[in-house]
Amino acid sequence: MTPDEFEHAYERLAAALDAVGEANETLFLVRLALLLADACPDPAAFAAALEAAQAGLPPADGA
Amino acid sequence: MPRPRGQAQSLYYDYPHYVSAPAPELGGDAVRHAVAIVGAGPVGLCAALTLARHGVPSVVLDAKSSVGEGSRAICIARHSVEIFQQLGVAGRFLGKALPWTDGTSYYRERPVYRLRMPHGPDERYYPMYNLQQQYIEQFLVEAVQATGRVDLRWGHALDTLQLADDEAVLEVESPQGRYRLRASYLVAADGAHSRVRQQLGLKLAGAAYEGRYVIVDVQMRSDYPTERRAFFDPVANRGATILVHRQPDDIWRIDYQLRDDEDEQEALSEREIRARVGAIVAMLGERAPWQLEWWSLYKAYTLCLEDYRHGRALFAGDAAHLVPIFGVRGLNSGLADAADLGWKLAMQLQGRAGPHLLDSYTPERRGATLDVFAQAGRSTRFMTPPTRGERLVRDAALSLAADHDCARRLLDPRQSQPYSYAASPLTTPDDECGAFAGGPRPGMALANARLDDDTFLLDDLGREFTLLAFGDAVPEDADRAALTAAARDAGIDLALRCLPAGTPAAARCGVGAGGALLVRPDRHVCARWRNIDAARLREALRRALGQWPA
């Protein structure tokens, strides 16, 4: 994916999140992650993406 | 003949009452029995039948005076029917059971996955059958009684147990009095609350799952075909799941998951069960009246013993392991335990086993249990997600399943399959015998391939080990004589079957002309060769009998 293509993906993801609405946000994101996991040719790349997405998150409520 | 039992008010089944006879020990007969089996459930009865098939008598003790109450384990897999065939009860079973191949999973009200288990004209048995457990037990009791080799003692309950180096000593309570029973070996097939296990101070170890299911049988006329139906988040049980199976006699099994906030005692009240079942029957679109038959509460566990052998005591079925119902591995796994243990114990008692044969029972059958845990654990987590994260991913997968293969695959209930003993010390690995393109690898169960219009491979297996030789593998009488003599050297009455090469059966066995498979008494392949000779056969048989040096 080129930088331009990635930027386009970024914009489309934002637009899709706005379109599905807050109530469907979590389900939408998990569905997306599963479909991307299936499309990802390298299981290690998916594992690395999972790890990177978790890194640096603010503490969960009550943590 | 058994008499109907008054206390079990079944809508469709007359529970037999088996008469309790006084034990010979009460009259001073102090004989040491070859095998005592505690528990006359399906696993204990199959163990007794397997021993009898190999000429070994046994005593079976059960505190009850009838078959077990309730339909309980209803789904019997093809490989278990093959065990029934070897024990002579397949005919009775097939005459009553309902065969099936398919299933449908629904997410909310939408069908999202179609289960279709492999089945074709070259299979003798369907991949799955439904039959209430009490029928299975009744058929097994009838078969046991016909052997003349099994002393079946109803109303006789194990009280205490002591294991010595050379025997098991049981104190037994019976209606006619208390007595001491001695046996060279003890098979514990006394279920989840095993008295044998308690007496030996053994505990099951493993995990318990959160999900709770109410299991209900209702009698209802319906034309809906026999298949597995799974409902995720259905209108009749929002936030939870329902499973529906058809049984003979117009009985329908409905399993519904309790939500986390539901009180167990309230959920098991007849009033509540009627309300829940009424809603489910309405959801299924059924209009006919229905009646409650039986109900129970179920929780999923993956628990097992560290070792299935403790000296002279060997554990089988729920006494050795508790597995989740999803994938129908409970009873099917217990029957495979009995098939494995029965022939080994027979060889041991007949002085034909090496020092390692009985010790192979744990790695083979506990290995099978651990495999079940891996498979059924996944199914259980899908059916009853234990965390918020698992629920989110499960629901996302369900919502994708109708349109996406990757998500659909997650709905496969991973139905019970026979376990491969590839890693067993009794199995001769392929690398000692040559390379094969297909067929059952050593350790796998033999496929019951069609031989002609009416005959299948299992019909022609011997009681002990069978050598299936294809094409010109054994061209001369002298070669046959050498092979059977080699088997005799190992203490085995070998059944030698010569089959044509190039047939569909040979293809399913993966063996070309000149090749051969060695099959154990429990139908598992323990060696195969591109070319067979007497020395290789003798070595494989010795290994399969645990006859390597201690």
Side-chain angles (χ1 to χ4, degrees), chain B residues 72-343:
Chain B
R72 296 184 290 167
I74 59 167
C75 296
I76 299 297
R78 175 186 285 144
H79 57 93
S80 294
V81 183
E82 291 169 355
I83 293 173
F84 289 160
Q85 177 185 333
Q86 289 193 299
L87 300 179
V89 291
R92 287 283 272 149
F93 175 84
L94 296 171
K96 186 70 185 177
L98 299 175
W100 59 280
T101 56
D102 295 356
T104 308
S105 295
Y106 299 82
Y107 180 48
R108 294 175 180 156
E109 280 58 67
R110 188 181 181 199
V112 292
Y113 173 70
R114 187 79 180 143
L115 168 70
R116 183 149 290 169
M117 290 181 283
H119 184 57
D122 286 334
E123 296 288 355
R124 175 156 195 172
Y125 301 122
Y126 281 80
M128 204 67 73
Y129 293 83
N130 286 354
L131 182 62
Q132 294 91 327
Q133 188 172 316
Q134 68 266 39
Y135 281 115
I136 296 171
E137 292 183 24
Q138 180 192 324
F139 300 158
L140 290 168
V141 168
E142 290 165 5
V144 156
Q145 289 168 334
T147 65
R149 287 198 170 109
V150 182
D151 178 358
L152 195 40
R153 299 184 184 180
W154 297 102
H156 291 225
L158 170 69
D159 185 24
T160 63
L161 166 68
Q162 287 191 309
L163 291 184
D165 286 346
D166 61 344
E167 66 175 358
V169 182
L170 297 77
E171 293 288 334
V172 181
E173 290 284 359
S174 76
Q176 299 81 22
R178 185 181 176 89
Y179 63 94
R180 176 170 291 184
L181 184 149
R182 314 176 90 93
S184 295
Y185 286 94
L186 171 73
V187 175
D190 51 346
H193 305 289
S194 169
R195 178 80 179 160
V196 176
R197 216 173 53 220
Q198 290 168 11
Q199 281 293 299
L200 295 179
L202 301 171
K203 290 201 184 319
L204 300 174
Y209 288 83
E210 296 294 325
R212 301 166 298 166
Y213 275 79
V214 176
I215 296 179
V216 186
D217 278 355
V218 300
Q219 192 170 49
M220 174 179 72
R221 285 195 180 279
S222 168
D223 293 331
Y224 200 88
T226 308
E227 66 166 44
R228 175 189 191 269
R229 282 183 284 176
F231 299 87
F232 294 89
D233 198 21
V235 66
N237 201 18
R238 281 288 180 228
T241 55
I242 300 170
L243 289 169
V244 180
H245 273 285
R246 182 181 194 159
Q247 304 171 57
D249 301 316
D250 293 322
I251 300 296
W252 292 81
R253 162 69 62 79
I254 298 172
D255 300 352
Y256 57 87
Q257 184 191 356
L258 296 181
R259 288 182 294 273
D260 292 346
D261 60 351
E262 286 187 271
D263 177 68
E264 249 171 54
Q265 202 169 355
E266 168 68 8
L268 285 173
S269 69
E270 186 169 336
R271 177 183 54 79
E272 179 63 15
I273 288 171
R274 284 189 182 281
R276 297 291 289 270
V277 169
I280 293 167
V281 169
M283 180 195 82
L284 296 175
E286 300 291 352
R287 300 274 184 269
W290 54 270
Q291 288 183 277
L292 273 181
E293 160 69 14
W294 173 83
W295 63 84
S296 180
L297 183 76
Y298 169 77
K299 295 177 188 176
Y301 297 99
T302 48
L303 300 170
C304 68
L305 289 172
E306 278 295 310
D307 199 332
Y308 290 3
R309 180 182 181 193
H310 288 265
R312 294 273 162 166
L314 297 117
F315 290 82
D318 285 357
H321 47 72
L322 294 179
V323 306
I325 51 173
F326 311 112
V328 300
R329 293 173 177 84
L331 177 54
N332 289 297
S333 181
L335 297 175
D337 291 347
D340 185 282
L341 179 56
W343 74 267

Side-chain angles (χ1 to χ4, degrees), chain B residues 313-485:
Chain B
L314 297 117
F315 290 82
D318 285 357
H321 47 72
L322 294 179
V323 306
I325 51 173
F326 311 112
V328 300
R329 293 173 177 84
L331 177 54
N332 289 297
S333 181
L335 297 175
D337 291 347
D340 185 282
L341 179 56
W343 74 267
K344 291 176 179 173
L345 211 40
M347 299 282 171
Q348 178 76 19
L349 285 157
Q350 291 162 348
R352 297 190 286 167
H356 307 286
L357 185 61
L358 274 188
D359 282 337
S360 73
Y361 175 62
T362 292
E364 291 194 349
R365 293 313 305 163
R366 190 169 185 273
T369 302
L370 297 181
D371 185 58
V372 165
F373 287 177
Q375 298 296 326
R378 285 180 182 164
S379 298
T380 304
R381 289 204 310 275
F382 198 86
M383 295 297 293
T384 58
T387 67
R388 181 171 178 275
E390 292 217 36
R391 174 171 287 279
L392 284 171
V393 180
R394 196 279 306 265
D395 289 349
L398 284 167
S399 71
L400 290 168
D403 304 310
H404 297 275
D405 275 344
C406 62
R408 210 157 29 239
R409 286 194 297 271
L410 296 168
L411 274 77
D412 185 337
R414 300 180 172 90
Q415 301 290 68
S416 171
Q417 296 289 329
Y419 179 67
S420 170
Y421 301 139
S424 167
L426 308 186
T427 302
T428 300
D430 265 351
D431 56 14
E432 294 181 22
C433 313
F436 291 81
R441 289 187 297 280
M444 292 173 71
L446 182 71
N448 192 14
R450 180 184 287 280
L451 295 175
D452 56 39
D453 285 353
D454 303 316
T455 317
F456 291 79
L457 215 41
L458 293 189
D459 301 345
D460 207 24
L461 292 190
R463 273 190 306 110
E464 299 189 352
F465 285 77
T466 302
L467 187 71
L468 297 173
F470 290 86
D472 58 353
V474 190
E476 306 290 341
D477 286 349
D479 300 318
R480 289 168 178 250
L483 290 170
T484 49

Side-chain angles (χ1 to χ4, degrees), chain A residues 26-27 30-32 34-35 38, chain B residues 392-393 396-397 399-400 404 406:
Chain A
T26 305
L27 179 62
V30 179
R31 283 164 55 108
L32 179 67
L34 285 176
L35 291 173
D38 183 52
Chain B
L392 284 171
V393 180
S399 71
L400 290 168
H404 297 275
C406 62

